[in-house]
Amino acid sequence: MFLALFVIVREQTAGVSADAFINARLTTTRAPISGTFDAISRPLGARVNVGDSLGTIADPLVDNVRLSDLQQQRMATKAELDRLTKTAEGLAVSIEELGSRAQSYRRERIQQLQAQIDGAEASANAAEARLRYARLSLERSDRLSDQGVRTGEALEQSRSLAEVAELDLVSAQETVRVARINLAAAERGIFLGDGYNDAPYSEQRVSELEVARDQLQASAAAQATVLEALDLRIRAEQVRVNRLNSASLQANVSGLIWDYLAISGETVQRGQDLLSLVDCQSTIVTLSVTERVYNQITLGSTAQFRMNGSDRLLPGLVTRVAGSGASTVYENLAIAPSERHLERFDVTLDVPALRQEPELRCLIGRTGRVFFEERPLDWLRRMWT
């Protein structure tokens, strides 16, 4: 009789919670862009996994003015690059034609100078022959004058003719020397005797066109660099516009759809709350106890949780002791406490089995009791479980 009374009293006075329920943290999915929200139809409480699609947001009126401006700048830059390239190609053709003409001129000019040398040498040979004849005439006149056959006037005339022939030979030799100098210069690409320029018009024009071509190529290279920069900016702007044009919403946790904060077809703003999800990996047990039991509990204390309707005891550890009136600790949890719960002392229990065992996962809202001390009939309960 006494033993039975002891068991009854001990069963009732052992450290136990007044109420306990399975809870978990909430996570909120917000709109990354503004637009029209299209949610995938799922009932409240439906299970989702990480990465599952929750819906989409589309904004057909996204601002793409900057992208249009950049595309217009690219078109203008591309047109200018094409113009510079074609102009440079045209100059290259002209340079090639003028270069061919310059080569022809140089070849023909060298042949002309060679002919002038041949002519000058022939004139020098003729002058040399006349000089020899004049000298022979002068010698004959000297002999005849000494013999009294010819007069002094004839002698002077022969001397004059000899001097003129000698000067003609010198002139002819200088003409040959000048012609050889012109030929040697022409063979080096320098043309003398054509005015104050040392090159023909075609070569001068080639030099001018080459300078213009180099300038155009430099400008084309600069435009190509600008075009590459514009392409990079356009790609970056396209990425930005695409991100603002549409967005896909995905679950960031494996858990339950707890609440829809916006409905399909609704126009939402960037940062607006759309859905609340329960994170089943954060499942805990929240409970309240009397002040006597609360003062006997410390962080890390062991306890056992039993769901109502079940005889199985699930081991756990105390992870938080929040005391009385601890309403703020429930702001980010799925289940809010009752007023009676807040009048007692709040305790949080970590029960690993609620996360690890598939049949116990995410039983949010299930109630039960937590026991902090061994009771006389626990051995019997363990035999039944």
Side-chain angles (χ1 to χ4, degrees):
M1 183 69 176
F2 176 76
L3 180 60
L5 182 62
F6 172 78
V7 169
I8 294 174
V9 172
R10 186 56 180 164
E11 283 282 331
Q12 297 299 320
T13 59
V16 64
S17 66
D19 60 348
F21 49 90
I22 300 175
N23 216 332
R25 288 196 303 269
L26 291 176
T27 178
T28 302
T29 301
R30 296 181 173 84
I33 63 172
S34 300
T36 302
F37 176 47
D38 181 18
I40 294 179
S41 179
R42 289 191 181 93
L44 293 179
R47 290 181 179 269
V48 293
N49 296 316
V50 175
D52 286 352
S53 178
L54 302 176
T56 58
I57 300 175
D59 183 8
L61 302 178
V62 62
D63 183 9
N64 60 354
V65 174
R66 181 57 179 163
L67 178 59
S68 298
D69 290 342
L70 289 173
Q71 289 174 338
Q72 288 182 350
Q73 291 180 27
R74 187 189 186 282
M75 293 174 61
T77 302
K78 184 65 168 58
E80 179 65 11
L81 176 60
D82 292 341
R83 184 189 70 82
L84 293 172
T85 302
K86 291 180 180 179
T87 304
E89 290 174 353
L91 289 180
V93 173
S94 298
I95 289 171
E96 184 177 357
E97 293 176 352
L98 288 172
S100 179
R101 289 176 57 185
Q103 290 294 329
S104 298
Y105 174 83
R106 179 179 179 182
R107 183 174 57 255
E108 299 298 331
R109 179 60 173 160
I110 289 175
Q111 292 177 357
Q112 180 188 27
L113 292 174
Q114 185 65 54
Q116 289 180 357
I117 291 174
D118 294 341
E121 287 178 345
S123 297
N125 292 333
E128 187 176 0
R130 288 193 297 271
L131 178 59
R132 288 195 302 269
Y133 177 77
R135 286 176 177 173
L136 291 173
S137 297
L138 178 59
E139 290 177 357
R140 187 170 58 254
S141 294
D142 282 340
R143 290 194 304 269
L144 292 176
S145 177
D146 291 342
Q147 295 174 3
V149 177
R150 299 192 69 171
T151 62
E153 182 179 354
L155 178 61
E156 290 298 327
Q157 184 179 5
S158 295
R159 287 177 179 173
S160 177
L161 290 175
E163 291 176 357
V164 170
E166 186 175 355
L167 292 175
D168 286 342
L169 176 59
V170 172
S171 177
Q173 290 175 341
E174 288 298 320
T175 301
V176 172
R177 191 172 69 86
V178 170
R180 291 186 182 281
I181 291 173
N182 287 336
L183 177 60
E187 290 174 345
R188 297 195 305 271
I190 301 173
F191 298 93
L192 304 177
D194 295 331
Y196 59 86
N197 293 318
D198 62 351
Y201 172 78
S202 55
E203 288 191 359
Q204 297 176 41
R205 186 59 179 158
V206 165
S207 299
E208 294 174 358
L209 293 181
E210 285 178 343
V211 172
R213 181 199 60 191
D214 293 342
Q215 291 176 345
L216 287 172
Q217 289 177 343
S219 298
Q223 289 295 321
T225 302
V226 173
L227 189 64
E228 291 177 0
L230 284 173
D231 286 339
L232 291 175
R233 293 172 63 185
I234 287 173
R235 285 196 290 270
E237 188 66 16
Q238 285 175 335
V239 171
R240 187 190 71 85
V241 170
N242 291 339
R243 287 177 177 173
L244 295 178
N245 184 59
S246 62
S248 176
L249 304 176
Q250 296 179 336
N252 62 332
V253 297
S254 294
L256 309 175
I257 295 180
W258 198 246
D259 193 10
Y260 286 99
L261 306 177
I263 61 175
S264 289
E266 181 179 344
T267 299
V268 297
Q269 302 301 317
R270 181 177 181 180
Q272 181 176 335
D273 296 343
L274 302 179
L275 298 94
S276 291
L277 304 178
V278 173
D279 182 8
C280 290
Q281 283 299 111
S282 65
T283 301
I284 55 175
V285 174
T286 52
L287 57 134
S288 63
V289 296
T290 63
E291 183 176 2
R292 181 187 68 80
V293 175
Y294 181 81
N295 289 329
Q296 296 174 357
I297 298 172
T298 60
L299 291 177
S301 296
T302 59
Q304 293 177 319
F305 172 65
R306 179 175 60 82
M307 287 183 287
N308 292 334
S310 173
D311 293 329
R312 182 180 177 184
L313 295 174
L314 303 176
L317 293 175
V318 175
T319 58
R320 182 172 64 191
V321 284
S324 62
S327 60
T328 57
V329 301
Y330 287 87
E331 291 177 353
N332 196 40
L333 295 179
I335 307 298
S338 64
E339 293 184 2
R340 182 182 176 186
H341 180 105
L342 295 177
E343 291 174 357
R344 297 163 66 90
F345 291 80
D346 186 85
V347 177
T348 299
L349 189 68
D350 177 33
V351 181
L354 297 177
R355 298 188 300 273
Q356 298 171 356
E357 298 184 20
E359 66 275 9
L360 300 178
R361 277 182 58 82
C362 241
L363 300 178
I364 308 302
R366 285 287 299 270
T367 59
R369 302 186 74 184
V370 174
F371 304 96
F372 296 95
E373 299 176 0
E374 287 284 338
R375 293 173 295 168
L377 299 180
D378 280 345
W379 65 273
L380 185 59
R381 295 186 181 93
R382 285 192 287 268
M383 289 180 61
W384 288 348
T385 59

